[in-house]
Amino acid sequence: SDIVIRGNVSMPSNIANMQGIYLGAVYYTNVLIEDNVISTGMIRGISIHSGSNVVVRNNTLIDYAGEVHSGTKVMGATESYGNIQMSYAGEAGLGADLILQNTDPNKPFYYGDYFANPEAGRGMTLKDLLPKSGTLAESMGAIDTIKAFIE
């Protein structure tokens, strides 16, 4: 209980099958996970087995296109908002979180329309995740963490 995970970056350049933040197998209370940047080919970008008052906000989760899964998501939070996460084209959209897709550049919410170069895959850097001007990526996700690590 009483856990804060904030301001971390996980961008493994040599593997795509590493989970992001994974809190499993027990019940968690009073957890805040915010301002983290995670790129992976796995579905569990941020995953909590079970808990209460588990808030996940303002994180950027980028899926490596064509690697393992077709999405990298927040799973198991009691509150999730302000995050940018990846999913299948049919789930892409805007709600409390911005859900992008990386499978069809001709469909709405394509991640290449929001970031400088998210197609970089395993070689991705934080500069590749700088938001494009005028997009929601300028105000959602872990933009402060991205800028802090670049500057």
Side-chain angles (χ1 to χ4, degrees):
S1 63
D2 303 321
I3 300 167
V4 176
I5 301 172
R6 177 185 296 130
N8 299 285
V9 175
S10 176
M11 301 179 82
S13 62
N14 58 346
I15 59 172
N17 63 347
M18 188 173 94
Q19 306 288 354
I21 297 169
Y22 181 69
L23 304 178
V26 297
Y27 188 87
Y28 297 88
T29 58
N30 302 324
V31 177
L32 174 61
I33 301 173
E34 67 179 353
D35 299 321
N36 299 287
V37 178
I38 298 168
S39 59
T40 182
M42 301 298 283
I43 195 80
R44 295 180 186 276
I46 297 175
S47 181
I48 300 90
H49 175 72
S50 64
S52 62
N53 193 31
V54 177
V55 178
V56 178
R57 65 182 182 205
N58 304 326
N59 298 281
T60 298
L61 311 176
I62 300 294
D63 185 72
Y64 294 146
E67 301 260 8
V68 193
H69 293 106
S70 295
T72 300
K73 302 180 179 187
V74 172
M75 305 167 85
T78 53
E79 284 186 67
S80 177
Y81 59 91
N83 300 293
I84 299 174
Q85 55 186 317
M86 307 290 297
S87 193
Y88 307 96
E91 294 180 355
L94 177 62
D97 292 319
L98 174 60
I99 302 174
L100 303 177
Q101 54 93 10
N102 63 7
T103 56
D104 190 341
N106 298 313
K107 289 192 176 176
F109 298 102
Y110 182 68
Y111 73 157
D113 296 334
Y114 291 81
F115 297 104
N117 185 28
E119 294 95 345
R122 291 189 200 188
M124 183 181 299
T125 68
L126 285 171
K127 287 184 180 181
D128 294 319
L129 295 180
L130 285 171
K132 288 189 175 179
S133 181
T135 67
L136 288 170
E138 288 183 304
S139 60
M140 295 181 80
I143 186 60
D144 292 338
T145 299
I146 292 168
K147 287 181 179 178
F149 274 88
I150 290 175
E151 295 174 354

